[in-house]
Amino acid sequence: MRKNELKQKMLRGERTTNGWLALGSTYSAELMGHAGFDSVTVDCQHGMFDFTQMLPMLQALSATPSTPIVRAPWNDPAIIMHALDAGAYGIICPMINNADEAAKLVQACRYAPKGARSYGPARGLLYGGADYFDHANDEIVVFAMIETRDGIANVDAILATEGIDGVYIGPNDLALCLGAKPGSDLTDARVIETIAHILNRARAHHKFIGIFCANGEVGATRRQQGFDLVTLGHEGSLLAQAAKASVAAALKAPVSANASDRSTGY
Ligand code: 3PY
Ligand code: MG
């Protein structure tokens, strides 16, 4: 089976970068896959597309060096198993609250005896190789998102769940659940402390830790703090930022703050 290069790099202690797809475009997927990210995540929770668009996005990523990941829309075994069958090499699952939910996520991602994933790997075989079944449990990387009050309270139990490779912080929902505003992950003391706490707990459990960042500058800070995987905004926000900067450069004007706020929603 094709090795999961993202997992290999994180196991070696390398700090990796992750691209994020929200637009539902195969061309964007291809561009992002060739942009230098170690992995690219197809966001089926907040991205503007469904399974029929996710599949060709994963196919487009197959032609690039980036490891294909899917953020599931929810902790739903049917959807998670389907994404894995479509060739995802990793799952990021939103809003995991406790060890039971983490175990349910693992069950959907692992074949027996480690889980209850149904057999039918379809594109997994094409992308991974004929021996996909023999190695899928080891290659596929599973992240539980920590972004709720319960998830924060139960972070140790989630990290201790067998089959969970790591946790991934959604800083916007995390801020909301702490009574702060989305986008306050570098300014609100409650959010800053909670992110530091989750990072420390992941390190203590020797599990991977990833985080969504609004852009590369935030990503640089998170890399310095020790995150294994940093997402550097999504391609929709990158496109909007570059477009506005280009307009501003032509007009010799400052980049519009209002327009920026509208296009970098998460
Ligand atoms: C969050 O910040 O809540 C996320 O889920 C990132 O997309
Ligand atoms: Mg979230």
Side-chain angles (χ1 to χ4, degrees):
M1 179 176 172
R2 184 200 297 250
K3 280 289 195 199
N4 185 331
E5 293 300 334
L6 174 71
K7 185 174 177 184
Q8 294 303 317
K9 285 173 192 164
M10 292 192 297
L11 283 173
R12 290 197 295 268
E14 290 177 32
R15 305 214 171 135
T16 65
T17 58
N18 177 54
W20 199 263
L21 302 178
L23 293 182
S25 157
T26 53
Y27 186 33
S28 295
E30 207 176 1
L31 285 168
M32 292 288 281
H34 283 295
F37 295 108
D38 298 295
S39 57
V40 173
T41 299
V42 181
D43 180 12
C44 295
Q45 184 186 23
H46 292 299
M48 296 290 105
F49 51 83
D50 61 17
F51 181 91
T52 56
Q53 289 159 290
M54 178 203 77
L55 174 62
M57 290 164 77
L58 287 172
Q59 290 172 313
L61 285 175
S62 298
T64 79
S66 295
T67 302
I69 309 291
V70 165
R71 173 163 67 176
W74 202 246
N75 193 7
D76 179 329
I79 296 173
I80 290 170
M81 291 184 203
H82 212 187
L84 291 171
D85 290 345
Y89 256 42
I91 294 290
I92 298 175
C93 186
M95 298 205 159
I96 297 297
N97 292 302
N98 52 48
D100 284 348
E101 292 182 11
K104 180 181 172 189
L105 169 61
V106 171
Q107 290 290 303
C109 295
R110 310 288 187 211
Y111 289 121
K114 293 188 171 168
R117 181 178 168 194
S118 173
Y119 187 75
R123 264 206 87 247
L125 284 167
L126 296 178
Y127 180 72
D131 56 347
Y132 179 89
F133 173 75
D134 297 324
H135 305 288
N137 280 353
D138 295 326
E139 294 303 328
I140 282 156
V141 67
V142 181
F143 281 97
M145 286 193 73
I146 306 293
E147 50 181 353
T148 62
R149 286 195 85 86
D150 284 347
I152 297 163
N154 296 316
V155 68
D156 279 294
I158 293 168
L159 280 160
T161 303
E162 203 172 334
I164 291 286
D165 294 301
V167 291
Y168 182 97
I169 298 175
N172 297 307
D173 281 314
L174 190 83
L176 278 179
C177 84
L178 294 171
K181 282 191 172 179
S184 61
D185 39 303
L186 291 178
T187 52
D188 188 289
R190 294 163 294 183
V191 187
I192 292 168
E193 276 166 28
T194 305
I195 289 175
H197 171 68
I198 298 168
L199 174 62
N200 287 338
R201 297 321 301 154
R203 288 278 81 98
H205 285 264
H206 304 291
K207 297 273 174 103
F208 303 136
I209 175 131
I211 188 165
F212 189 91
C213 307
N215 53 47
E217 287 73 42
V218 181
T221 303
R222 296 304 183 201
R223 276 163 67 84
Q224 275 173 359
Q225 291 173 340
F227 282 85
D228 302 298
L229 176 81
V230 293
T231 300
L232 310 179
H234 64 72
E235 94 286 43
S237 64
L238 295 174
L239 172 68
Q241 285 162 25
K244 278 178 289 170
S246 197
V247 172
L251 300 180
K252 297 194 183 305
V255 178
S256 152
N258 281 342
S260 171
D261 289 344
R262 281 166 195 241
S263 56
T264 55
Y266 77 97

